[in-house]
Amino acid sequence: MTLLQELESRLAAALTATLGEPTSAAVTAAADLRFGDYQSNAAMVLAKARKTNPRALAQEIIDHLELEGLATADIAGPGFINFRILPTAYAARTAALIRDERLGVPATGAGKTVVVDFSAPNVAKPMHVGHIRSTIIGDSLSRIARFLGFTVIADNHIGDWGTQFGMIIYGWNHFLDQAALAANPIPELVRIYRMVNTATKEDPTVLDACKAELVKLQAGDAENLAIWQQCINVSKSGLQKIYDRLDVKFDHWLGESYYNDRLAGLVDEFVEQGIARESSGAICIFSDGTKPLEEDPFKVHKEEGWTDNPAIIRKADGGFLYATTDLATIQFRIDEWKADHIWYVVGVPQQLHFRQLFDAAARWGKTGDFKHVGFGSILGDDRKLMKTRSGDNVGLIEVLEEAVERAAKAIAEKNPDLQGEEAAKIAEIVGIGAVKFAELSQNRLTDYVFSWDRMLALQGDTAPYLQYSHVRIRSIFRKLDAPFDATAAAIHLNEDAEIHLARLLVRFGEVLPTILEDFRPNLLANYVLELARAFHSFFEACPVLKAEEPTRSSRLALCELTSRTLKQGLNLLGIDVPERM
Ligand code: ARG
């Protein structure tokens, strides 16, 4: 049980005794430590319902509270109950955490399966900076869910079947440079795609030729299928290199094309069940009229009032769409993988698509907890969408390379002793960690301004600062003559800085589950920053190696637990820690 849960259970007992009927209420971490560690507004809420004085009720509750050995409680303001945890209770908790592999994190996801749909770039196009967000956020959420005990299936739903293949096949036949393809496939595919794009503008017959190639592909033409397959293969191996660098792993890569042969039957089923109907030759899903207009994704408000906003699942020419594939995908994930939850980590511009998708799936009888985890854009210094000098979207690989290069420079300046392979390895860990942390420490819904200097600063809210903090703790242990066994140490907390460090260590298991309530890895990012800051204050105020026993062992054990918690927290953000830097 976390400390918070322990307080909630004791509060529930007191409420039940006070009111004479089973009652429970929430306890939250206090916003301001001057008033205590935790608080509850139970007395205020309950007094309102019973029309009694909240402070008097709070006093009655406190009189019934059994907090022996755990905390003290008092009343504040209009009737808050504030809890202050006893240092001895923190000491006992930290001692238990040292023996706990899970660092006090409850297995809230045990028995549940979640599919995390993230990254999902479109084949034959480079992953752009917008895909950074999906990849990094999705990976972190997957790691957190896994640590919380969920069965996690990370699925890369790549866009491997779309109208772009008409152009790519045409380009393949007319412009392909085989040597360039072999050397570096994705840029070559992008190059031919661009050449065709220009050609279609100069000569309209090229566009018709592209469409013809697409029709042939969709009809199963062997030659075009072979080209398509080759494009997929080279793109996938190019993407895999990026994922390896980012240490991002997928359990599956079931792209759009995987669902091709299910789409015709799906559309028939939707028509038979009356969920979709024909409209100007296309098959569309319309509103079923069961929701208030404001909440109905198949209605839109225009000048003339509320009008239909259907989702097309088959075009008049027989082609299927993104929505059709996504419906088939939901069915597969529920039937084959027994998914209880599906989280889609995709930019905010696709919000309507997902609202329609979830609504249509529910009407089709596919039940589950489906969430669109949206995010805003990445902006350049000028607060406009980030672009390269030539005006293109910035590719993910360029961002990573520049980050690593800059990290290498910073490391060389700070620690010239580091050389060669070791220096390169550290630069990689620091550079990539910096990009990830800059992303994950943001509120995912806001647009964020990309700044090299800010993300690589050693002093600041950055990955290098956190990595450096970890290095600093480990260096304490390198100074010891013999290995230190933290599990054998007794914990004594006397100084404020020690108590504060213990307080944060104990909170790890409380913070983690809350991240998934609204998919906010930034809560974990904030937590590790606070933990690192608490460590530095502790280290400044409290001598460790020079302290007398038993304080010395107690403090060493705190250092050990801090380094494990910091490393685990960073690992859940997908960030590695170097040994030195
Ligand atoms: N390929 C899409 C894009 O880049 C994202 C796919 C997201 N996943 C999904 N099941 N729709 O915009």
Side-chain angles (χ1 to χ4, degrees):
M1 225 193 296
T2 64
L3 195 45
L4 190 137
Q5 286 166 333
E6 175 82 55
L7 287 172
E8 280 183 341
S9 98
R10 302 214 185 181
L11 179 63
L15 290 171
T16 304
T18 310
L19 302 170
E21 55 180 331
T23 314
S24 61
V27 171
T28 56
D32 187 336
L33 288 175
R34 278 171 302 173
F35 304 124
D37 299 85
Y38 294 89
Q39 64 180 35
S40 173
N41 63 359
M44 286 141 75
V45 174
L46 293 165
K48 197 166 179 196
R50 285 172 178 69
K51 301 197 167 52
T52 60
N53 178 310
R55 283 188 66 99
L57 183 61
Q59 188 55 56
E60 253 188 275
I61 297 168
I62 289 179
D63 292 342
H64 284 99
L65 261 174
E66 185 53 71
L67 293 175
E68 255 308 283
L70 181 68
T72 57
D74 53 32
I75 310 172
F80 283 107
I81 300 175
N82 286 339
F83 298 95
R84 200 175 293 278
I85 304 299
L86 302 175
T88 49
Y90 273 136
R93 288 254 163 193
T94 26
L97 290 183
I98 288 167
R99 289 169 188 79
D100 180 6
E101 287 232 312
R102 298 188 46 80
L103 296 163
V105 176
T108 50
K112 283 177 234 140
T113 298
V114 52
V115 175
V116 189
D117 180 320
F118 68 100
S119 196
N122 301 314
V123 165
K125 295 186 183 167
M127 256 213 251
H128 59 76
V129 82
H131 286 113
I132 289 184
R133 299 201 85 171
S134 176
T135 306
I136 295 176
I137 297 171
D139 177 55
S140 177
L141 292 174
S142 305
R143 288 166 183 258
I144 293 166
R146 211 168 271 133
F147 198 67
L148 285 166
F150 286 90
T151 299
V152 174
I153 300 177
D155 186 13
N156 196 4
H157 188 76
I158 51 174
D160 60 356
W161 193 260
T163 46
Q164 80 259 36
F165 283 101
M167 289 166 83
I168 289 168
I169 292 171
Y170 181 92
W172 187 282
N173 292 334
H174 291 82
F175 307 123
L176 187 69
D177 174 346
Q178 285 287 359
L181 185 78
N184 203 355
I186 295 180
E188 176 58 9
L189 291 179
V190 172
R191 189 189 66 85
I192 63 174
Y193 178 83
R194 290 213 176 111
M195 285 193 67
V196 179
N197 205 10
T198 318
T200 56
K201 279 173 195 141
E202 283 158 9
D203 177 359
T205 64
V206 174
L207 195 60
D208 293 332
C210 292
K211 282 190 187 148
E213 295 296 0
L214 185 66
V215 172
K216 267 170 74 184
L217 173 70
Q218 287 170 339
D221 174 78
E223 204 176 311
N224 278 9
L225 269 176
I227 297 175
W228 170 79
Q229 190 62 57
Q230 237 184 304
C231 288
I232 303 298
N233 294 348
V234 295
S235 295
K236 275 190 175 174
S237 61
L239 290 169
Q240 187 58 52
K241 283 194 194 116
I242 301 180
Y243 294 135
D244 287 345
R245 242 180 129 171
L246 288 170
D247 192 23
V248 168
K249 295 186 182 72
F250 291 98
D251 300 294
H252 298 277
W253 290 57
L254 300 189
E256 294 177 16
S257 70
Y258 182 78
Y259 301 94
N260 279 351
D261 54 10
R262 297 163 193 256
L263 305 182
L266 184 148
V267 172
D268 291 344
E269 213 180 307
F270 268 67
V271 173
E272 270 158 38
Q273 295 187 10
I275 310 168
R277 62 181 152 85
E278 196 265 359
S279 170
S280 322
I283 304 292
C284 307
I285 303 174
F286 286 90
S287 165
D288 64 355
T290 60
K291 268 164 239 65
L293 287 164
E294 295 75 21
E295 286 163 32
D296 193 329
F298 297 100
K299 290 284 181 186
V300 63
H301 192 77
K302 294 212 175 120
E303 275 160 36
E304 62 274 20
W306 289 95
T307 60
D308 284 325
N309 186 27
I312 306 176
I313 54 173
R314 195 174 75 202
K315 290 189 285 185
D317 69 8
F320 302 108
L321 294 107
Y322 188 47
T324 330
T325 326
D326 254 336
L327 284 165
T329 308
I330 287 196
Q331 178 178 41
F332 177 87
R333 288 170 176 171
I334 291 177
D335 293 352
E336 299 291 319
W337 290 341
K338 311 283 177 248
D340 301 297
H341 309 267
I342 308 178
W343 303 336
Y344 297 85
V345 188
V346 184
V348 167
Q350 292 191 30
Q351 190 178 22
L352 178 65
H353 166 73
F354 287 108
R355 287 177 59 220
Q356 294 189 327
L357 181 66
F358 301 162
D359 189 90
R363 281 155 66 187
W364 192 27
K366 305 297 166 210
T367 49
D369 167 52
F370 310 137
K371 292 273 161 56
H372 173 208
V373 182
F375 50 81
S377 313
I378 302 185
L379 309 178
D381 286 335
D382 55 359
R383 304 209 120 256
K384 297 216 179 78
L385 275 188
M386 199 172 155
K387 298 265 157 109
T388 59
R389 252 169 267 137
S390 56
D392 293 328
N393 284 326
V394 179
L396 174 52
I397 201 75
E398 286 85 11
V399 171
L400 297 181
E401 249 141 40
E402 182 156 356
V404 171
E405 227 169 82
R406 286 175 183 252
K409 252 188 229 143
I411 291 164
E413 271 165 37
K414 194 165 181 312
N415 195 346
D417 293 351
L418 292 171
Q419 291 286 331
E421 214 173 290
E422 190 187 11
K425 206 173 147 217
I426 296 170
E428 181 83 11
I429 294 175
V430 172
I432 291 187
V435 171
K436 288 189 178 186
F437 194 80
E439 168 61 56
L440 293 169
S441 54
Q442 304 292 319
N443 174 339
R444 64 181 161 81
L445 286 166
T446 51
D447 293 345
Y448 91 87
V449 178
F450 194 90
S451 155
W452 291 115
D453 294 336
R454 215 172 337 116
M455 75 173 71
L456 284 159
L458 207 48
Q459 291 301 328
D461 297 350
T462 63
Y465 167 70
L466 294 162
Q467 289 164 324
Y468 176 69
S469 305
H470 186 263
V471 166
R472 177 122 186 241
I473 306 174
R474 295 320 308 165
S475 73
I476 301 169
F477 291 94
R478 273 198 289 273
K479 293 193 189 111
L480 295 177
D481 305 327
F484 173 74
D485 177 11
T487 59
I491 305 293
H492 307 276
L493 304 172
N494 298 305
E495 302 296 323
D496 281 349
E498 281 180 308
I499 296 170
H500 186 53
L501 183 59
R503 173 189 288 128
L504 286 173
L505 290 166
V506 165
R507 270 195 197 165
F508 188 55
E510 294 173 5
V511 170
L512 269 199
T514 64
I515 293 164
L516 296 186
E517 286 167 12
D518 196 26
F519 309 102
R520 304 261 177 218
N522 59 315
L523 298 179
L524 177 56
N526 291 346
Y527 170 83
V528 284
L529 281 174
E530 253 193 278
L531 180 64
R533 284 192 210 111
F535 174 77
H536 289 289
S537 310
F538 155 82
F539 201 57
E540 236 160 72
C542 307
V544 176
L545 292 173
K546 294 207 171 81
E548 299 289 327
E549 288 297 355
T551 307
R552 183 175 186 267
S553 290
S554 169
R555 288 183 179 164
L556 274 170
L558 278 184
C559 291
E560 170 74 25
L561 183 60
T562 306
S563 93
R564 272 175 61 206
T565 309
L566 198 54
K567 186 171 179 178
Q568 182 65 64
L570 286 170
N571 174 279
L572 295 176
L573 295 170
I575 297 171
D576 200 1
V577 287
E579 282 298 307
R580 306 202 288 156
M581 65 187 273

Short mmCIF file of all heavy atoms in Angstrom, two decimals, residues 117 119-122 131 157-159 256 322 326 333 344 346 350 353-354, ligand 1:
data_model
loop_
_atom_site.label_atom_id
_atom_site.label_comp_id
_atom_site.label_asym_id
_atom_site.label_seq_id
_atom_site.Cartn_x
_atom_site.Cartn_y
_atom_site.Cartn_z
N ASP A 117 -0.72 2.49 -29.81
CA ASP A 117 -0.57 2.75 -31.25
C ASP A 117 0.21 4.05 -31.37
O ASP A 117 -0.32 5.12 -31.08
CB ASP A 117 -1.99 2.85 -31.84
CG ASP A 117 -2.03 3.12 -33.34
OD1 ASP A 117 -1.22 3.92 -33.83
OD2 ASP A 117 -2.92 2.56 -34.01
N SER A 119 3.95 6.26 -33.11
CA SER A 119 4.94 6.48 -34.17
C SER A 119 4.25 6.46 -35.54
O SER A 119 4.00 7.50 -36.10
CB SER A 119 6.08 5.47 -34.11
OG SER A 119 7.15 5.95 -34.88
N ALA A 120 3.94 5.28 -36.07
CA ALA A 120 3.12 5.13 -37.27
C ALA A 120 3.42 6.12 -38.40
O ALA A 120 2.53 6.82 -38.86
CB ALA A 120 1.63 5.19 -36.90
N PRO A 121 4.67 6.19 -38.84
CA PRO A 121 4.97 7.09 -39.96
C PRO A 121 4.43 6.51 -41.27
O PRO A 121 3.97 5.37 -41.30
CB PRO A 121 6.49 7.12 -39.99
CG PRO A 121 6.91 5.83 -39.40
CD PRO A 121 5.87 5.46 -38.39
N ASN A 122 4.49 7.32 -42.29
CA ASN A 122 4.02 6.86 -43.59
C ASN A 122 5.22 6.43 -44.42
O ASN A 122 6.21 7.14 -44.53
CB ASN A 122 3.22 7.97 -44.26
CG ASN A 122 2.04 8.35 -43.39
OD1 ASN A 122 1.34 7.49 -42.89
ND2 ASN A 122 1.85 9.64 -43.17
N HIS A 131 6.57 13.35 -35.98
CA HIS A 131 6.57 11.96 -35.53
C HIS A 131 7.45 11.77 -34.30
O HIS A 131 7.34 10.76 -33.62
CB HIS A 131 7.05 11.03 -36.65
CG HIS A 131 6.03 10.83 -37.72
ND1 HIS A 131 6.20 11.30 -39.01
CD2 HIS A 131 4.81 10.25 -37.70
CE1 HIS A 131 5.13 11.00 -39.73
NE2 HIS A 131 4.27 10.37 -38.96
N HIS A 157 1.53 1.16 -36.46
CA HIS A 157 0.51 1.10 -37.53
C HIS A 157 0.96 2.00 -38.69
O HIS A 157 0.37 3.05 -38.95
CB HIS A 157 -0.81 1.58 -36.93
CG HIS A 157 -2.01 1.40 -37.80
ND1 HIS A 157 -2.62 0.19 -38.01
CD2 HIS A 157 -2.73 2.29 -38.53
CE1 HIS A 157 -3.67 0.34 -38.81
NE2 HIS A 157 -3.76 1.61 -39.15
N ILE A 158 2.00 1.57 -39.37
CA ILE A 158 2.58 2.42 -40.41
C ILE A 158 1.61 2.63 -41.58
O ILE A 158 0.80 1.77 -41.90
CB ILE A 158 3.92 1.86 -40.95
CG1 ILE A 158 3.77 0.39 -41.36
CG2 ILE A 158 5.01 2.00 -39.91
CD1 ILE A 158 5.00 -0.18 -42.04
N GLY A 159 1.75 3.78 -42.22
CA GLY A 159 0.94 4.09 -43.40
C GLY A 159 1.63 3.49 -44.61
O GLY A 159 2.43 4.14 -45.28
N GLU A 256 -1.25 -0.35 -42.30
CA GLU A 256 -2.58 -0.29 -42.93
C GLU A 256 -2.80 -1.47 -43.90
O GLU A 256 -3.89 -2.03 -43.96
CB GLU A 256 -2.74 1.04 -43.67
CG GLU A 256 -2.74 2.23 -42.72
CD GLU A 256 -2.83 3.58 -43.44
OE1 GLU A 256 -3.19 3.59 -44.63
OE2 GLU A 256 -2.55 4.60 -42.80
N TYR A 322 -8.77 5.65 -44.75
CA TYR A 322 -8.11 5.60 -43.44
C TYR A 322 -9.08 5.10 -42.36
O TYR A 322 -8.73 4.24 -41.54
CB TYR A 322 -7.64 7.03 -43.15
CG TYR A 322 -6.77 7.26 -41.95
CD1 TYR A 322 -5.66 6.46 -41.70
CD2 TYR A 322 -7.02 8.33 -41.09
CE1 TYR A 322 -4.83 6.72 -40.61
CE2 TYR A 322 -6.21 8.60 -40.01
CZ TYR A 322 -5.11 7.80 -39.76
OH TYR A 322 -4.30 8.07 -38.69
N ASP A 326 -8.90 1.75 -40.00
CA ASP A 326 -8.84 1.87 -38.55
C ASP A 326 -9.95 1.07 -37.87
O ASP A 326 -9.76 0.55 -36.77
CB ASP A 326 -8.87 3.35 -38.13
CG ASP A 326 -7.48 3.82 -37.68
OD1 ASP A 326 -6.68 2.97 -37.28
OD2 ASP A 326 -7.22 5.04 -37.74
N ARG A 333 -7.67 -5.91 -33.03
CA ARG A 333 -7.03 -5.77 -31.73
C ARG A 333 -7.89 -6.31 -30.60
O ARG A 333 -7.38 -6.84 -29.61
CB ARG A 333 -6.68 -4.29 -31.48
CG ARG A 333 -5.52 -3.84 -32.34
CD ARG A 333 -5.33 -2.33 -32.29
NE ARG A 333 -4.15 -1.93 -33.05
CZ ARG A 333 -3.85 -0.68 -33.32
NH1 ARG A 333 -4.62 0.32 -32.89
NH2 ARG A 333 -2.76 -0.40 -34.03
N TYR A 344 -4.17 5.78 -28.80
CA TYR A 344 -3.63 6.26 -30.07
C TYR A 344 -2.85 7.54 -29.83
O TYR A 344 -3.44 8.56 -29.46
CB TYR A 344 -4.77 6.58 -31.04
CG TYR A 344 -5.63 5.38 -31.43
CD1 TYR A 344 -6.70 4.98 -30.63
CD2 TYR A 344 -5.39 4.69 -32.60
CE1 TYR A 344 -7.49 3.91 -31.00
CE2 TYR A 344 -6.18 3.61 -32.98
CZ TYR A 344 -7.22 3.22 -32.17
OH TYR A 344 -8.00 2.15 -32.53
N VAL A 346 -1.37 10.27 -31.44
CA VAL A 346 -1.43 10.90 -32.76
C VAL A 346 -1.76 12.38 -32.56
O VAL A 346 -2.50 12.74 -31.65
CB VAL A 346 -2.53 10.24 -33.64
CG1 VAL A 346 -2.53 10.81 -35.04
CG2 VAL A 346 -2.39 8.72 -33.68
N GLN A 350 -5.87 15.14 -35.88
CA GLN A 350 -6.70 13.97 -36.21
C GLN A 350 -7.80 13.71 -35.18
O GLN A 350 -8.41 12.63 -35.15
CB GLN A 350 -5.81 12.72 -36.37
CG GLN A 350 -4.93 12.83 -37.59
CD GLN A 350 -4.23 11.52 -37.95
OE1 GLN A 350 -4.73 10.43 -37.71
NE2 GLN A 350 -3.06 11.63 -38.53
N HIS A 353 -11.19 12.50 -36.58
CA HIS A 353 -11.09 11.12 -37.06
C HIS A 353 -11.30 10.14 -35.90
O HIS A 353 -12.06 9.18 -36.01
CB HIS A 353 -9.73 10.90 -37.72
CG HIS A 353 -9.39 9.45 -37.95
ND1 HIS A 353 -10.00 8.69 -38.93
CD2 HIS A 353 -8.54 8.61 -37.31
CE1 HIS A 353 -9.52 7.45 -38.88
NE2 HIS A 353 -8.63 7.37 -37.92
N PHE A 354 -10.64 10.38 -34.78
CA PHE A 354 -10.74 9.44 -33.67
C PHE A 354 -12.09 9.52 -32.97
O PHE A 354 -12.62 8.49 -32.54
CB PHE A 354 -9.57 9.62 -32.70
CG PHE A 354 -8.29 9.07 -33.28
CD1 PHE A 354 -7.29 9.93 -33.71
CD2 PHE A 354 -8.12 7.72 -33.46
CE1 PHE A 354 -6.13 9.43 -34.29
CE2 PHE A 354 -6.97 7.20 -34.05
CZ PHE A 354 -5.97 8.06 -34.46
N1 ARG B 1 0.12 7.22 -40.35
C1 ARG B 1 -0.63 8.21 -39.67
C2 ARG B 1 0.04 9.58 -39.82
O1 ARG B 1 1.24 9.66 -39.97
C3 ARG B 1 -0.81 7.91 -38.19
C4 ARG B 1 -1.51 6.62 -37.86
C5 ARG B 1 -1.98 6.58 -36.45
N2 ARG B 1 -2.64 5.37 -36.07
C6 ARG B 1 -3.85 5.01 -36.44
N3 ARG B 1 -4.31 3.85 -36.05
N4 ARG B 1 -4.62 5.81 -37.14
O2 ARG B 1 -0.65 10.57 -39.78
#
